[in-house]
Amino acid sequence: MKIVLQRVTQACVSIDGNKIGEIDHGFVLFVGVADADSQLDIDYLVRKISQLRVFEDDNERMNLSIQDIDGAILSISQFTLFANIKKGNRPSFTDAGAPVFASLMYDHFNESLRASGLSVITGEFGANMQVSLVNDGPVTILFDTAHQ
């Protein structure tokens, strides 16, 4: 799995001009799934994301987790994280997971985040979504379970 995590002060997701979800402070996660991904990848990511200390404490040091600040997550499926641009100018997405499998893994990942005590809002798998966010910091972190 690949995830781009951004610390945000606010974010929302819309489809066809209709807002379907929003959060105040927390993380936006862009989530890509490959066919080789498993429950072990989900467990690793949930542990890392829920405990990631990138929010400032009273001394302005990144020392607090999303749980410490009572933040929320906006999780967006994004197969384009697996784009291969080695040949030509048109990306290939053959490394992305098959849609049925990727959808199930994406749903399970979000449920696992919720089970860890986090508030999780999602986009709609496979939809053309518009995501608006205010990146705080900016803080952007890449996760790739192929490189644990």
Side-chain angles (χ1 to χ4, degrees):
M1 292 178 74
K2 293 183 181 184
I3 293 181
V4 174
L5 174 150
Q6 294 189 317
R7 184 180 76 180
V8 300
T9 56
Q10 63 184 21
C12 69
V13 59
S14 300
I15 299 176
D16 296 327
N18 298 315
K19 190 181 297 183
I20 63 166
E22 69 182 311
I23 63 168
D24 287 326
H25 60 288
F27 294 145
V28 170
L29 305 178
F30 296 101
V31 181
V33 175
D35 286 329
D37 292 331
S38 71
Q39 181 63 45
L40 294 174
D41 298 304
I42 290 173
D43 294 344
Y44 168 79
L45 290 166
V46 168
R47 184 178 74 254
K48 293 302 267 186
I49 291 167
S50 65
Q51 296 175 13
L52 187 66
R53 299 186 317 169
V54 294
F55 294 94
E56 293 180 355
D57 62 17
D58 293 336
N59 296 318
E60 298 182 359
R61 296 190 59 157
M62 285 190 196
N63 203 28
L64 301 176
S65 73
I66 191 168
Q67 294 173 329
D68 295 328
I69 63 141
D70 197 28
I73 289 175
L74 177 59
S75 176
I76 305 295
S77 62
Q78 189 161 359
F79 73 94
T80 60
L81 292 176
F82 284 94
N84 183 331
I85 54 171
K86 289 181 181 177
K87 293 182 185 176
N89 295 317
R90 183 170 183 257
S92 168
F93 301 106
T94 58
D95 292 340
V100 171
F101 175 74
S103 178
L104 290 172
M105 288 290 286
Y106 172 70
D107 290 343
H108 188 63
F109 170 70
N110 292 320
E111 286 304 317
S112 295
L113 285 169
R114 288 183 185 106
S116 76
L118 294 169
S119 172
V120 180
I121 305 298
T122 64
E124 182 181 318
F125 186 91
N128 182 359
M129 297 172 277
Q130 295 73 51
V131 180
S132 299
L133 60 92
V134 178
N135 188 324
D136 183 26
V139 173
T140 302
I141 297 175
L142 305 175
F143 293 90
D144 186 341
T145 58
H147 304 287
Q148 293 185 44

